[in-house]
Amino acid sequence: MEATVHHLLAVWMQFVLDWGYVGVFVMMFFESTAVPIPAEIVIPPAAYWAAQGRFNVALIVVAATAGSWAGSAASYWIAWKLGRPLVERYGRFVLLSKKKIEGADHWFDAYGAGGIFVARLLPGIRHLISIPAGLFKMNFRTFSIMTIVGAGLFNAALAWFGIKVLGDQPGLMKDPTALIAVLKTKSQYLIGFALVIALLYGLMIWMQKRAARHPSKP
């Protein structure tokens, strides 16, 4: 099983190398849906190859962000059209368990539109948050803006990590599994940043709701 996963990750990395910006777009499109493609084997290698002169780093980030938005938009509209009963019934066929959907629901309910931005920086929820946004029929323009900004920041950070980490340890390019492990360790700083933003945003929402329930008297 481990050998199969390792081979699959290597195939995905080679796909990105062979197809360049289109490959990055396609892989990030699927990464932003329910397909378990780790962004760590898409953007960092592409950014490393860009540093070697094969691609342009800025265009890698643009292609990755466009793919992230397109995949998220697809999930959003599918959820919008199908509705909760069908999503919960058939989601398991695309690795979307009821528990995962409920977790994304709670996040969206707690943080709303701003939560879309923060969620794009967090593993485990970043590719799921589009579903409750569609189910709750969030304004698509607002959803798109938050998705693009959040995904853009995440993708730019991964590109930077890729250049720095792979520049120091180019041997990781031959071991996708180790590459993912190293980059996930490095991305803890990004996750910490996202959680701080989420806490501050949640505090702001709580204070606004509290002020609305208890308006000050003149």
Side-chain angles (χ1 to χ4, degrees), residues 131-154:
I131 295 174
L135 291 175
F136 287 108
K137 303 189 185 309
M138 175 184 178
N139 179 274
F140 184 66
R141 181 180 179 183
T142 301
F143 167 80
S144 294
I145 292 173
M146 293 300 178
T147 297
I148 291 171
V149 174
L153 177 59
F154 177 80

Side-chain angles (χ1 to χ4, degrees), residues 107-108 110-121 129 138 142-143 146-147 150 194 197-198 201-202 204-205:
W107 179 274
F108 185 82
Y111 298 108
I116 299 292
F117 165 75
V118 177
R120 297 301 310 184
L121 307 177
I129 195 63
M138 175 184 178
T142 301
F143 167 80
M146 293 300 178
T147 297
I197 295 297
Y201 185 76
M204 180 185 71
I205 291 176

